[in-house]
Each structure stands twice: as structure tokens, then as C-alpha cells.
Amino acid sequence: AGQGREFEALKDYQPGMGRRMIDWKRSARHGRLLAREFRIEENNNIVLAIDSGRLMCEPVDGVPKVDRAVAAALLSAFIALKGGDMVSLFSFDGRPRVASGAVRGSASFAMIQKRAAEIDYSNEETNFTLALTTLAARLDRRALVIIFTDFVDPISAELMLRTVGRLTERHLVLFMMTRDVEVESLTDMPPLSGEDVARAVVAGGLLRERQVVIGRLRLLGAHVIEADHQRLGPALVERYLQFKREDLL
């Protein structure tokens, strides 16, 4: 509390408050220590960008990744709208598909739900260059861009990396990805046969390549969350609230 950007009020300084919160001029005028109290800024622009391409339509624990992404996006949209921020929805595969305008207020959540229901499965390869360039052109102010996606190796993610570098120059970018528990389980299986060893080696290589891409995203200034499929929504909400507390939006 009291660590946002919008000035709200003056109050008596209490032990434990940071010295930077003290308003020295007004304290001298009133003859007692007064501290500035701030509130977390509202009206931030939150963009939920959901990849509905081929890789995102693969199931995790019986449910397609895109469905889990939509559920996490709706949870974060509800929290953001309740908190006074603006939310917009964007989906893409080989080309942009769904694009809602920015809305504000809890009453607008029904519209976000309706547009999210329009996101469909696709067997097309994701065109990150077209999608993210189109999205960047729609944004006329700084935004938190949350991208729900997946990738297999550095080669398939190369075009995405090129576009992300331009997006992070102006916006706060967060990638949300589901952990590939199936591949991780292959690396942990007891090597009972030569085939088990071969599968474990291939799976380990895929995981290492995935971490290479994640590392490059972070070097470009993007934030990355790789969460268990059951924790995707809560992990996103926690990071969103952390961004607000740290004044990054």
C-alpha cells in the first residue's frame, strides 16, 4: 500500500515508512513529519494475445493448450477489469483472427468472454511476424502485452524473436507458456531399453533448445512464465499484480 504512482494524500509519518516518502517542505510548514501516500495507478492497458496455431492446439492432460490459455486470459481479464485497468483481446494463427477494442469496468467482462468464445482451433503454423506487427500497429500507448504461445525449437521461433525485439522497445511483454510435462517425463523415465535411452536423449535436447529460446526472449527484455497447466492462470495473476506493485506498467 502507498507504493503506486498516483499521489493520493498526506498522512503522519510512522516508524517503518521509507524516508523517501517524507514530504520535507510540508513537514517544515506544519511542524511535524508528513509522508506522501500514493495509490497504484489505474487505466493501464492490458493486451491478451492468444496464439491459436497448430502447436497451441495440442493437448496437455487431455485439454488443448489454447483452451487453457483462454481460461488463464479470462481470469486475468476479470482481475484487471476489477482493478480499473483496460483490457483488450487479440488472437492469431497464420493471420490475426480476433481483435477486440480496449474496454474498462467489470461490466465489460461479458464482452471479453464473448470474443474469447470466437477463438477457434487451427492447423496453420503461427505467423508471429504478421500477428505481432499488426498488434503493435494497433497500440497507441504503452501496454502490458501478454502473449500465450508455444514453440518447439530455436529455428521455429526465430521470426518470433525478431519481432519481439521491436515490441519490447515500447511495451512491457510477458510470454505465458505451459510446461511440456510429457517431454519432461520422458527425460525422467528409467532407461530400461535402448529405445528409452534414445527417447530420453531426444527429449532432453528439446528441453535444452526450449530454454535457449526462453533465454533469448529474456535478453530481448521480455518476461517469461513457464507454468504447470494447472497453475497457468494463478501464475499470470500473481505476475500481473507484481508488475503493478513494482510500477512497471
Side-chain angles (χ1 to χ4, degrees):
Q3 298 299 314
R5 286 183 292 182
E6 292 186 347
F7 175 76
E8 185 171 30
L10 286 172
K11 63 179 182 180
D12 289 330
Y13 179 82
Q14 301 293 331
M17 290 182 176
R19 293 184 179 180
R20 289 184 298 176
M21 298 176 64
I22 299 175
D23 190 320
W24 295 104
K25 290 184 178 180
R26 290 183 174 85
S27 295
R29 187 180 307 153
H30 291 275
R32 68 181 192 276
L33 284 178
L34 296 174
R36 292 183 296 268
E37 185 175 31
F38 296 85
R39 62 180 177 182
I40 295 176
E41 185 175 1
E42 298 180 351
N43 297 328
N44 298 298
N45 195 16
I46 314 298
V47 180
L48 301 166
I50 300 176
D51 174 5
S52 60
R54 180 182 61 83
L55 286 177
M56 286 293 287
C57 293
E58 295 179 354
V60 175
D61 198 17
V63 179
K65 296 176 185 176
V66 66
D67 287 345
R68 298 192 183 279
V70 168
L74 289 175
L75 175 62
S76 59
F78 180 79
I79 299 297
L81 291 170
K82 290 282 287 185
D85 289 332
M86 296 185 295
V87 174
S88 59
L89 189 67
F90 183 78
S91 77
F92 57 95
D93 49 19
R95 61 184 177 87
R97 295 290 182 180
V98 176
S100 74
V103 296
R104 183 190 295 118
S106 302
S108 302
F109 181 68
M111 190 278 286
I112 295 293
Q113 280 184 304
K114 182 178 179 181
R115 299 309 305 270
E118 299 173 13
I119 300 175
D120 202 358
Y121 307 117
S122 172
N123 57 7
E124 295 185 23
E125 294 293 337
T126 301
N127 187 334
F128 287 102
T129 302
L130 176 60
L132 298 184
T133 301
T134 302
L135 176 59
R138 293 173 178 269
L139 300 175
D140 55 1
R141 54 174 288 193
R142 176 176 166 83
L144 167 58
V145 181
I146 303 170
I147 303 173
F148 299 84
T149 189
D150 198 8
F151 43 77
V152 177
D153 53 62
I155 296 175
S156 62
E158 188 62 38
L159 292 176
M160 175 188 70
L161 290 166
R162 294 178 186 177
T163 311
V164 168
R166 293 190 289 271
L167 197 62
T168 55
E169 291 176 359
R170 185 181 179 190
H171 305 286
L172 181 63
V173 180
L174 171 62
F175 278 83
M176 293 296 303
M177 294 179 295
T178 305
R179 285 177 51 204
D180 198 330
V181 292
E182 183 177 352
V183 175
E184 290 178 2
S185 66
L186 290 176
T187 63
D188 298 330
M189 287 180 60
L192 302 178
S193 66
E195 292 182 356
D196 292 338
V197 173
R199 279 194 291 265
V201 170
V202 172
L206 290 173
L207 291 176
R208 285 192 297 273
E209 290 178 345
R210 183 182 178 92
Q211 291 306 311
V212 167
V213 177
I214 290 175
R216 292 183 64 184
L217 284 171
R218 287 176 172 145
L219 286 174
L220 290 169
H223 298 259
V224 181
I225 293 180
E226 191 179 15
D228 184 87
H229 62 275
Q230 296 178 334
R231 284 276 307 158
L232 198 64
L236 173 54
V237 171
E238 289 171 7
R239 183 61 63 89
Y240 160 71
L241 295 175
Q242 180 184 350
F243 284 154
K244 295 199 75 168
R245 287 194 301 268
E246 295 179 355
D247 243 5
L248 295 178
L249 297 186

Short mmCIF file of all heavy atoms in Angstrom, two decimals, residues 139-171:
data_model
loop_
_atom_site.label_atom_id
_atom_site.label_comp_id
_atom_site.label_asym_id
_atom_site.label_seq_id
_atom_site.Cartn_x
_atom_site.Cartn_y
_atom_site.Cartn_z
N LEU A 139 -1.60 -0.44 -31.12
CA LEU A 139 -1.38 0.12 -29.79
C LEU A 139 -0.84 1.54 -29.90
O LEU A 139 0.25 1.76 -30.42
CB LEU A 139 -0.38 -0.76 -29.01
CG LEU A 139 -0.81 -2.22 -28.80
CD1 LEU A 139 0.30 -3.02 -28.13
CD2 LEU A 139 -2.09 -2.28 -27.98
N ASP A 140 -1.61 2.49 -29.38
CA ASP A 140 -1.19 3.89 -29.45
C ASP A 140 -0.61 4.39 -28.13
O ASP A 140 -0.28 5.56 -28.00
CB ASP A 140 -2.36 4.78 -29.87
CG ASP A 140 -3.58 4.63 -28.96
OD1 ASP A 140 -3.49 3.83 -28.00
OD2 ASP A 140 -4.60 5.28 -29.22
N ARG A 141 -0.49 3.51 -27.14
CA ARG A 141 0.11 3.86 -25.87
C ARG A 141 0.77 2.61 -25.28
O ARG A 141 0.52 1.50 -25.71
CB ARG A 141 -0.93 4.40 -24.88
CG ARG A 141 -2.12 3.49 -24.67
CD ARG A 141 -3.05 3.97 -23.59
NE ARG A 141 -2.48 3.80 -22.26
CZ ARG A 141 -3.17 3.91 -21.13
NH1 ARG A 141 -4.46 4.20 -21.17
NH2 ARG A 141 -2.59 3.74 -19.97
N ARG A 142 1.65 2.83 -24.29
CA ARG A 142 2.36 1.72 -23.67
C ARG A 142 1.37 0.72 -23.08
O ARG A 142 0.36 1.11 -22.49
CB ARG A 142 3.30 2.25 -22.58
CG ARG A 142 4.02 1.15 -21.80
CD ARG A 142 4.99 1.78 -20.81
NE ARG A 142 5.47 0.82 -19.82
CZ ARG A 142 6.47 -0.02 -20.02
NH1 ARG A 142 7.10 -0.02 -21.18
NH2 ARG A 142 6.85 -0.85 -19.07
N ALA A 143 1.67 -0.56 -23.23
CA ALA A 143 0.75 -1.60 -22.77
C ALA A 143 1.54 -2.78 -22.20
O ALA A 143 2.72 -2.97 -22.51
CB ALA A 143 -0.14 -2.07 -23.92
N LEU A 144 0.85 -3.54 -21.36
CA LEU A 144 1.35 -4.85 -20.96
C LEU A 144 0.78 -5.84 -21.96
O LEU A 144 -0.43 -6.07 -22.01
CB LEU A 144 0.89 -5.19 -19.54
CG LEU A 144 1.08 -6.65 -19.11
CD1 LEU A 144 2.54 -7.07 -19.19
CD2 LEU A 144 0.54 -6.88 -17.70
N VAL A 145 1.65 -6.42 -22.80
CA VAL A 145 1.24 -7.37 -23.83
C VAL A 145 1.55 -8.77 -23.32
O VAL A 145 2.71 -9.14 -23.15
CB VAL A 145 1.96 -7.10 -25.16
CG1 VAL A 145 1.49 -8.10 -26.22
CG2 VAL A 145 1.72 -5.67 -25.63
N ILE A 146 0.50 -9.55 -23.08
CA ILE A 146 0.65 -10.91 -22.57
C ILE A 146 0.41 -11.86 -23.73
O ILE A 146 -0.68 -11.91 -24.29
CB ILE A 146 -0.34 -11.19 -21.43
CG1 ILE A 146 -0.14 -10.16 -20.30
CG2 ILE A 146 -0.16 -12.60 -20.90
CD1 ILE A 146 -1.23 -10.21 -19.24
N ILE A 147 1.45 -12.62 -24.11
CA ILE A 147 1.37 -13.49 -25.28
C ILE A 147 1.34 -14.95 -24.81
O ILE A 147 2.29 -15.44 -24.20
CB ILE A 147 2.57 -13.26 -26.22
CG1 ILE A 147 2.62 -11.79 -26.65
CG2 ILE A 147 2.49 -14.18 -27.43
CD1 ILE A 147 3.86 -11.42 -27.44
N PHE A 148 0.24 -15.63 -25.11
CA PHE A 148 0.10 -17.06 -24.80
C PHE A 148 0.52 -17.83 -26.04
O PHE A 148 -0.15 -17.76 -27.08
CB PHE A 148 -1.35 -17.40 -24.45
CG PHE A 148 -1.88 -16.69 -23.24
CD1 PHE A 148 -2.39 -15.40 -23.35
CD2 PHE A 148 -1.88 -17.30 -22.00
CE1 PHE A 148 -2.90 -14.74 -22.24
CE2 PHE A 148 -2.40 -16.65 -20.88
CZ PHE A 148 -2.89 -15.36 -21.01
N THR A 149 1.60 -18.58 -25.96
CA THR A 149 2.10 -19.27 -27.15
C THR A 149 2.92 -20.48 -26.75
O THR A 149 3.08 -20.80 -25.57
CB THR A 149 2.94 -18.30 -28.02
OG1 THR A 149 3.23 -18.93 -29.26
CG2 THR A 149 4.23 -17.91 -27.32
N ASP A 150 3.49 -21.13 -27.76
CA ASP A 150 4.38 -22.26 -27.54
C ASP A 150 5.30 -22.37 -28.75
O ASP A 150 4.99 -21.86 -29.84
CB ASP A 150 3.60 -23.56 -27.35
CG ASP A 150 4.44 -24.64 -26.69
OD1 ASP A 150 5.57 -24.34 -26.26
OD2 ASP A 150 3.97 -25.79 -26.61
N PHE A 151 6.44 -23.03 -28.59
CA PHE A 151 7.37 -23.25 -29.69
C PHE A 151 8.15 -24.52 -29.40
O PHE A 151 8.18 -25.01 -28.27
CB PHE A 151 8.31 -22.06 -29.88
CG PHE A 151 8.84 -21.49 -28.60
CD1 PHE A 151 9.86 -22.12 -27.90
CD2 PHE A 151 8.30 -20.33 -28.06
CE1 PHE A 151 10.34 -21.61 -26.71
CE2 PHE A 151 8.78 -19.80 -26.87
CZ PHE A 151 9.80 -20.45 -26.19
N VAL A 152 8.79 -25.04 -30.43
CA VAL A 152 9.49 -26.32 -30.30
C VAL A 152 10.99 -26.14 -30.24
O VAL A 152 11.68 -26.74 -29.43
CB VAL A 152 9.11 -27.26 -31.47
CG1 VAL A 152 9.90 -28.57 -31.39
CG2 VAL A 152 7.62 -27.54 -31.46
N ASP A 153 11.53 -25.28 -31.10
CA ASP A 153 12.98 -25.16 -31.19
C ASP A 153 13.34 -23.74 -31.63
O ASP A 153 12.47 -22.97 -32.04
CB ASP A 153 13.54 -26.18 -32.17
CG ASP A 153 12.85 -26.11 -33.52
OD1 ASP A 153 12.93 -25.05 -34.17
OD2 ASP A 153 12.21 -27.11 -33.92
N PRO A 154 14.62 -23.37 -31.56
CA PRO A 154 15.05 -22.02 -31.94
C PRO A 154 14.75 -21.66 -33.39
O PRO A 154 14.52 -20.50 -33.72
CB PRO A 154 16.56 -22.05 -31.68
CG PRO A 154 16.76 -23.12 -30.66
CD PRO A 154 15.73 -24.15 -30.98
N ILE A 155 14.74 -22.67 -34.29
CA ILE A 155 14.50 -22.37 -35.71
C ILE A 155 13.07 -21.90 -35.91
O ILE A 155 12.82 -20.88 -36.58
CB ILE A 155 14.79 -23.62 -36.56
CG1 ILE A 155 16.27 -24.00 -36.45
CG2 ILE A 155 14.41 -23.37 -38.02
CD1 ILE A 155 16.63 -25.29 -37.16
N SER A 156 12.10 -22.61 -35.34
CA SER A 156 10.70 -22.23 -35.50
C SER A 156 10.39 -20.92 -34.78
O SER A 156 9.41 -20.24 -35.09
CB SER A 156 9.78 -23.33 -34.98
OG SER A 156 9.98 -23.53 -33.59
N ALA A 157 11.20 -20.56 -33.79
CA ALA A 157 10.95 -19.34 -33.01
C ALA A 157 11.75 -18.14 -33.50
O ALA A 157 11.61 -17.05 -32.94
CB ALA A 157 11.28 -19.59 -31.54
N GLU A 158 12.57 -18.31 -34.54
CA GLU A 158 13.47 -17.24 -34.96
C GLU A 158 12.71 -15.99 -35.40
O GLU A 158 13.06 -14.86 -35.01
CB GLU A 158 14.36 -17.74 -36.11
CG GLU A 158 15.46 -16.77 -36.50
CD GLU A 158 16.44 -16.52 -35.36
OE1 GLU A 158 16.75 -17.48 -34.62
OE2 GLU A 158 16.87 -15.36 -35.21
N LEU A 159 11.67 -16.15 -36.21
CA LEU A 159 10.91 -14.99 -36.66
C LEU A 159 10.20 -14.30 -35.50
O LEU A 159 10.08 -13.08 -35.47
CB LEU A 159 9.89 -15.41 -37.73
CG LEU A 159 10.47 -15.87 -39.07
CD1 LEU A 159 9.37 -16.35 -40.00
CD2 LEU A 159 11.27 -14.75 -39.72
N MET A 160 9.73 -15.09 -34.53
CA MET A 160 9.11 -14.50 -33.34
C MET A 160 10.12 -13.64 -32.60
O MET A 160 9.80 -12.52 -32.18
CB MET A 160 8.60 -15.61 -32.43
CG MET A 160 8.04 -15.11 -31.10
SD MET A 160 7.64 -16.44 -29.96
CE MET A 160 9.29 -17.02 -29.53
N LEU A 161 11.33 -14.11 -32.44
CA LEU A 161 12.36 -13.37 -31.70
C LEU A 161 12.67 -12.04 -32.38
O LEU A 161 12.87 -11.03 -31.71
CB LEU A 161 13.62 -14.22 -31.59
CG LEU A 161 13.51 -15.44 -30.66
CD1 LEU A 161 14.69 -16.38 -30.88
CD2 LEU A 161 13.44 -15.01 -29.21
N ARG A 162 12.70 -12.02 -33.69
CA ARG A 162 12.99 -10.78 -34.40
C ARG A 162 11.92 -9.73 -34.15
O ARG A 162 12.21 -8.55 -33.98
CB ARG A 162 13.11 -11.05 -35.90
CG ARG A 162 14.29 -11.92 -36.30
CD ARG A 162 14.30 -12.17 -37.79
NE ARG A 162 15.34 -13.11 -38.17
CZ ARG A 162 15.52 -13.55 -39.42
NH1 ARG A 162 14.72 -13.13 -40.38
NH2 ARG A 162 16.48 -14.42 -39.67
N THR A 163 10.66 -10.16 -34.12
CA THR A 163 9.56 -9.22 -33.93
C THR A 163 9.46 -8.76 -32.48
O THR A 163 9.14 -7.60 -32.21
CB THR A 163 8.23 -9.87 -34.35
OG1 THR A 163 8.39 -10.46 -35.64
CG2 THR A 163 7.11 -8.85 -34.39
N VAL A 164 9.74 -9.66 -31.53
CA VAL A 164 9.63 -9.32 -30.12
C VAL A 164 10.58 -8.20 -29.74
O VAL A 164 10.26 -7.33 -28.93
CB VAL A 164 9.88 -10.57 -29.25
CG1 VAL A 164 10.06 -10.20 -27.78
CG2 VAL A 164 8.72 -11.54 -29.38
N GLY A 165 11.76 -8.19 -30.33
CA GLY A 165 12.73 -7.14 -30.02
C GLY A 165 12.18 -5.75 -30.29
O GLY A 165 12.45 -4.81 -29.52
N ARG A 166 11.39 -5.61 -31.35
CA ARG A 166 10.79 -4.30 -31.65
C ARG A 166 9.63 -4.00 -30.70
O ARG A 166 9.39 -2.85 -30.35
CB ARG A 166 10.31 -4.28 -33.10
CG ARG A 166 11.44 -4.34 -34.12
CD ARG A 166 10.95 -4.08 -35.52
NE ARG A 166 10.15 -5.19 -36.03
CZ ARG A 166 10.65 -6.23 -36.68
NH1 ARG A 166 11.96 -6.32 -36.86
NH2 ARG A 166 9.87 -7.18 -37.13
N LEU A 167 8.92 -5.05 -30.28
CA LEU A 167 7.77 -4.84 -29.40
C LEU A 167 8.20 -4.40 -28.00
O LEU A 167 7.55 -3.58 -27.36
CB LEU A 167 6.95 -6.13 -29.32
CG LEU A 167 5.51 -6.04 -28.80
CD1 LEU A 167 4.67 -5.16 -29.71
CD2 LEU A 167 4.91 -7.43 -28.71
N THR A 168 9.31 -4.95 -27.51
CA THR A 168 9.76 -4.63 -26.15
C THR A 168 10.38 -3.24 -26.04
O THR A 168 10.60 -2.75 -24.93
CB THR A 168 10.80 -5.66 -25.67
OG1 THR A 168 11.88 -5.74 -26.62
CG2 THR A 168 10.18 -7.03 -25.49
N GLU A 169 10.67 -2.60 -27.17
CA GLU A 169 11.22 -1.25 -27.12
C GLU A 169 10.23 -0.26 -26.52
O GLU A 169 10.63 0.74 -25.91
CB GLU A 169 11.61 -0.79 -28.53
CG GLU A 169 12.81 -1.55 -29.10
CD GLU A 169 13.11 -1.14 -30.53
OE1 GLU A 169 12.37 -0.28 -31.07
OE2 GLU A 169 14.07 -1.67 -31.12
N ARG A 170 8.95 -0.55 -26.68
CA ARG A 170 7.91 0.39 -26.21
C ARG A 170 6.99 -0.20 -25.15
O ARG A 170 6.47 0.52 -24.30
CB ARG A 170 7.08 0.87 -27.40
CG ARG A 170 6.05 1.93 -27.04
CD ARG A 170 5.24 2.36 -28.23
NE ARG A 170 4.25 3.36 -27.87
CZ ARG A 170 3.27 3.78 -28.67
NH1 ARG A 170 3.17 3.27 -29.89
NH2 ARG A 170 2.41 4.69 -28.26
N HIS A 171 6.80 -1.51 -25.20
CA HIS A 171 5.80 -2.15 -24.34
C HIS A 171 6.44 -3.14 -23.37
O HIS A 171 7.57 -3.59 -23.57
CB HIS A 171 4.76 -2.88 -25.20
CG HIS A 171 4.11 -2.01 -26.24
ND1 HIS A 171 3.17 -1.07 -25.93
CD2 HIS A 171 4.31 -1.94 -27.58
CE1 HIS A 171 2.78 -0.45 -27.04
NE2 HIS A 171 3.46 -0.96 -28.05
#
